[in-house]
Amino acid sequence: MAGVSALGVAALTFSLVPSNADAEIAPQAAAAAAPVAFTNATGTAQAKTVQNSMIEQHSTAEKLVKAADAAKAKAAAETKAKAAKAKAASEAKAKAAADAKDKAEKAAKAKADAKKRASEKANRSTARKPVYANNLDGWIREAMAIMKKEGIPGSYEGIHRNIIRESSGNRWAINNWDINARNGVPSKGLLQVIQPTFDRYHVAGTKKDLYDPVANIVAACNYAADRYGSMDNVNSAY
């Protein structure tokens, strides 16, 4: 377009100059016309438009790169946050499982310890339980242990003294000649107790056998305590 404009100007110039001056004016017209092609307003505007377009494209590209970098950074941060959250949840779950296991182990240990202590206590009680001799001395001592527990008074001396007088220490002794015998209820055992008296003063935990030495002593002492205050106070037939 610049070239066409220049040619138009040149043609106009040649048409206004006389023919005899063509050779002189032509070089001047060509020289004057040449700069017009480069100073044309349309050409300058086009050059500026292209430049602005390139600048805008460059700015848009920069914005796109920045947006992509921001999106990438955001995605990386979200991925990192999710990983941290998952790790925390996993650690919390593992800790809860470990705590539950530790609690269960402690409970099991406490239960085992309690069972062991109970067993040891039972063994100690069994070990401490006295073993009484199967003779007059052992029968009296065992009877006195029961009497102490039941709150029945009586000393070793008082019990032994009355046993010797009543039966001479014979657990199978029986009186078949006194009034009780004539009434059909003979006195029996170490302390010569009749059956009705034994039944009434029998102490739970002893055998229900009038001839059993321990049961005989305990029942007789229980009766003596009720009637005389204690077997120690009995010095004759009672």
Side-chain angles (χ1 to χ4, degrees):
M1 292 178 65
V4 172
S5 298
L7 289 174
V9 173
L12 180 62
T13 303
F14 285 126
S15 64
L16 294 176
V17 178
S19 59
N20 60 355
D22 286 344
E24 181 181 348
I25 295 173
Q28 294 177 357
V36 174
F38 296 97
T39 58
N40 183 275
T42 302
T44 303
Q46 288 181 340
K48 287 182 178 180
T49 299
V50 171
Q51 183 180 15
N52 290 340
S53 177
M54 292 178 65
I55 292 172
E56 290 176 357
Q57 290 179 3
H58 179 72
S59 177
T60 300
E62 281 187 331
K63 290 179 179 179
L64 290 174
V65 170
K66 289 180 179 179
D69 290 343
K72 185 177 179 182
K74 183 179 179 181
E78 290 177 350
T79 300
K80 186 177 180 180
K82 287 180 179 179
K85 186 177 180 180
K87 182 180 179 182
S90 177
E91 290 176 348
K93 185 177 180 181
K95 186 177 184 301
D99 290 343
K101 183 180 179 182
D102 183 59
K103 186 177 180 180
E105 289 177 349
K106 286 181 179 179
K109 186 177 184 300
K111 186 176 180 180
D113 290 344
K115 185 177 180 181
K116 183 179 178 181
R117 287 193 298 271
S119 178
E120 290 175 347
K121 184 178 180 180
N123 291 336
R124 286 195 299 269
S125 297
T126 301
R128 286 198 300 266
K129 185 176 180 179
V131 178
Y132 300 100
N134 189 27
N135 55 33
L136 181 57
D137 177 71
W139 299 333
I140 294 174
R141 293 185 185 283
E142 185 173 356
M144 289 183 66
I146 297 171
M147 290 164 57
K148 181 178 180 181
K149 182 178 178 182
E150 297 295 330
I152 301 171
S155 67
Y156 185 97
E157 186 279 328
I159 296 170
H160 186 272
R161 171 168 43 83
N162 281 285
I163 287 174
I164 296 303
R165 187 189 68 251
E166 294 291 337
S167 66
S168 299
N170 178 13
R171 62 177 291 188
W172 303 110
I174 181 170
N175 186 326
N176 289 315
W177 53 267
D178 66 3
I179 186 63
N180 290 321
R182 290 195 295 270
N183 290 332
V185 283
S187 301
K188 299 177 181 179
L190 292 175
L191 284 166
Q192 293 294 282
V193 183
I194 61 175
Q195 190 68 49
T197 301
F198 178 82
D199 292 340
R200 181 179 178 183
Y201 290 96
H202 172 263
V203 174
T206 62
K207 294 181 180 180
K208 277 204 167 184
D209 179 3
L210 187 53
Y211 282 114
D212 180 78
V214 174
N216 187 283
I217 293 171
V218 175
C221 288
N222 194 23
Y223 162 72
D226 183 46
R227 186 163 182 180
Y228 303 103
S230 171
M231 182 60 76
D232 294 349
N233 299 328
V234 178
N235 296 298
S236 63
Y238 63 108

